[in-house]
Amino acid sequence: VIGRWRPDATALLTGLVRKLNEQGSVHSTVRGQLGIVGELTGESTVQYRGPQVDLSLTGNTRGGSQPPQPVDLSIVDGVGYLRTPLIRPEPDKPWLRISSDGQDFAAKLLSPALDQLHEAVDPHATFAGVESATRISDRAPDTVDGRPTTRYDLRIITAQAARTAPDPQQRERFGKAARSGEPELGYQLWLDDHGLPVKFT
């Protein structure tokens, strides 16, 4: 609720980003909507190597009334590799290489979505730089796979994030959301007793 006072998430998210950098990697369950791809659910592992981030995800996507489709994604050194029955680049090459310099049509089409998918999987990429534009709308004890956790309902204020995000693409994305009538973007984050993410929606 925009009118109600909600705590600033800066301290929580700054601590999360620091712990992720110290930990070096994190494994979590991911669920979210990804535009025309539909709903994505899966298990992800993110490896932090200084400024470089590698990730892998195994799960499925479901769009509309379509049955779930398996998807595997890896991002290594900024290059994405995607395997799904929805896209078959060549019969003998089940993985599609996605990079900003890719020459084939599918790679060019999907390359802009790589950053969005990275943010959907990696809470570090989602919140780093927009901590002060994020509010905690609710928090409660919860369990994930039998593990005690705390669930945080977080809201990024898009107009503020568009001014403060360090990355130009982030600023443009948040600005576009604000201009299109989305004053906030909502996320749910489950942290374990060590303050590390267990689930991210």
Side-chain angles (χ1 to χ4, degrees), residues 48-103:
Y48 302 98
R49 300 183 288 120
Q52 187 65 48
V53 177
D54 297 336
L55 68 86
S56 62
L57 178 136
T58 299
N60 61 67
T61 60
R62 182 192 293 269
S65 61
Q66 299 297 317
Q69 295 291 327
V71 62
D72 291 287
L73 172 74
S74 293
I75 300 179
V76 180
D77 293 330
V79 178
Y81 300 90
L82 177 68
R83 180 173 65 182
T84 174
L86 298 172
I87 300 172
R88 289 276 183 181
E90 295 177 35
D92 61 334
K93 295 181 179 178
W95 290 88
L96 173 67
R97 184 180 187 273
I98 306 169
S99 67
S100 56
D101 61 355
Q103 297 305 307

Side-chain angles (χ1 to χ4, degrees), residues 133-149:
T134 306
R135 301 292 178 268
I136 302 170
S137 65
D138 193 20
R139 62 176 283 178
D142 204 348
T143 57
V144 175
D145 297 329
R147 299 167 61 184
T149 64

Side-chain angles (χ1 to χ4, degrees), residues 36-37 82 86-87 96-116:
I36 61 171
V37 174
L82 177 68
L86 298 172
I87 300 172
L96 173 67
R97 184 180 187 273
I98 306 169
S99 67
S100 56
D101 61 355
Q103 297 305 307
D104 59 278
F105 175 76
K108 288 182 178 179
L109 181 68
L110 293 172
S111 179
L114 208 58
D115 287 341
Q116 181 189 0

